Amino acid sequence: MHNFTEEIKNEIISLPVDGRCCKLAVLSAFIRTSGSIISRGGRGGFEIVTENESVAEYISDLLETSFGLHVTVAGAKFDVLSGRDKLTFECLGEEARNFLAEAGIIGVDGANKFINMGIDGEIIRNDCCKTAYLKGAFLGGGSCTLPEESVYSKTGYHFEVVFFNKSVAGEFSDLLCYFEILAKLVTRKESAVVYVKSKEVISDILNLLGAENCLEKFDRLVEYKDKTNNENRVNNCSVSNIDKSVKASVNQVRAIEVINETVGLQSLDKKFFDVAAARLADKNASLQELAERLNISKSCINHRMRKILELAKSLGRD
């Protein structure tokens, strides 16, 4: 499941994006999560950074074919943590600046321009645009970690999207709320992270992203892990009960031996003598089994065994 994030992204980009408004929402969210506004040689614009070549090609194609922007490769740098090249693309000039304004990233107030610190409502005015924004955000800054299939896996379910701007991250959380998905927001170094850890919620998100193949794979893993975890709990519970039963039997045998060594078992009332004799005859039997052999109830044998334990304790030897 190590490349599950890549599988989700590859499935997202395989899906068609209909309408200019949805394409704009995808690109706006992508720049918010993996891009930045730049200025070089007096020319303003933006750059985007990604490790996924397929995503880079997809975003570049959207920019060029749908918005007529010219995107150039600015460089590639090896990232030690991921073990992959980080590709940097840039788009400069007046058309790039106009696109940033249309994407709601730059606001215009008369002759003044400013960076919009939140998500422009016009970008996500329709439900289809809201979903497209979620897709773009995941393509740019999203990841999904799943527990290993090993029974003793220490990893859990984790879905997150990283933003550079806490205000945008907060409004992204609100956008998820619109789809009845509750997420948490934390600050990590200079980034803001929106995340969920519930497998049920992650399943809902994958469905919302339209990643049906990944959703099926995810649901199969959840089913397998739940089944395995339940089996482990049953086994652990059984082992625990066996341990308790063995310990109780040892204590009972020790108490009976104490009574025998001090006052003798023949001093016991017949009903207690029968229980003591039955225990000595089968030290591994459960109380339920002993009760059936003596033709008495389990509560009755429990009561008599407690009396035997109390007698042994009163004799001054545990």
Side-chain angles (χ1 to χ4, degrees), residues 60 70-76 86-91:
S60 297
H70 180 61
V71 181
T72 59
V73 179
K86 279 194 171 184
L87 307 173
T88 303
F89 299 81
E90 64 180 29
C91 184

Side-chain angles (χ1 to χ4, degrees), residues 230-246:
N230 288 335
E231 290 175 351
N232 286 338
R233 281 192 288 270
V234 170
N235 291 336
N236 290 339
C237 182
S238 298
V239 171
S240 177
N241 289 338
I242 291 172
D243 289 343
K244 290 179 181 178
S245 178
V246 169

Side-chain angles (χ1 to χ4, degrees), residues 247-264:
K247 184 178 180 180
S249 177
V250 169
N251 290 337
Q252 293 160 9
V253 170
R254 185 181 296 123
I256 294 168
E257 290 175 345
V258 166
I259 295 172
N260 189 43
E261 293 169 0
T262 53
V263 297

Side-chain angles (χ1 to χ4, degrees), residues 109-251:
D109 182 11
N112 299 318
K113 292 183 179 181
F114 58 90
I115 297 176
N116 192 341
M117 301 305 290
I119 301 176
D120 190 331
E122 282 298 306
I123 299 298
I124 53 172
R125 63 184 180 276
N126 303 317
D127 282 358
C128 59
C129 300
K130 290 180 174 65
T131 303
Y133 198 93
L134 298 181
K135 293 179 179 181
F138 185 79
L139 290 176
S143 64
C144 186
T145 304
L146 303 182
E148 299 173 6
E149 292 190 22
S150 166
V151 172
Y152 303 105
S153 171
K154 294 182 179 180
T155 58
Y157 301 95
H158 185 89
F159 181 101
E160 70 175 36
V161 179
V162 182
F163 293 86
F164 299 123
N165 184 313
K166 189 173 182 179
S167 296
V168 175
E171 294 188 9
F172 183 79
S173 294
D174 294 338
L175 180 57
L176 288 174
C177 282
Y178 176 83
F179 292 104
E180 299 183 349
I181 293 173
L182 299 180
K184 294 184 178 180
L185 172 61
V186 295
T187 301
R188 185 187 299 163
K189 296 183 179 179
E190 297 180 356
S191 301
V193 183
V194 178
Y195 74 94
V196 297
K197 289 183 174 293
S198 163
K199 57 181 180 287
E200 292 81 10
V201 177
I202 294 175
S203 179
D204 290 341
I205 293 175
L206 292 177
N207 182 56
L208 192 58
L209 293 175
E212 295 181 1
N213 294 330
C214 290
L215 176 58
E216 290 181 6
K217 185 173 184 178
F218 178 81
D219 287 344
R220 285 197 301 270
L221 175 67
V222 169
E223 182 179 0
Y224 169 78
K225 292 295 294 183
D226 286 350
K227 179 181 178 181
T228 302
N229 290 338
N230 288 335
E231 290 175 351
N232 286 338
R233 281 192 288 270
V234 170
N235 291 336
N236 290 339
C237 182
S238 298
V239 171
S240 177
N241 289 338
I242 291 172
D243 289 343
K244 290 179 181 178
S245 178
V246 169
K247 184 178 180 180
S249 177
V250 169
N251 290 337

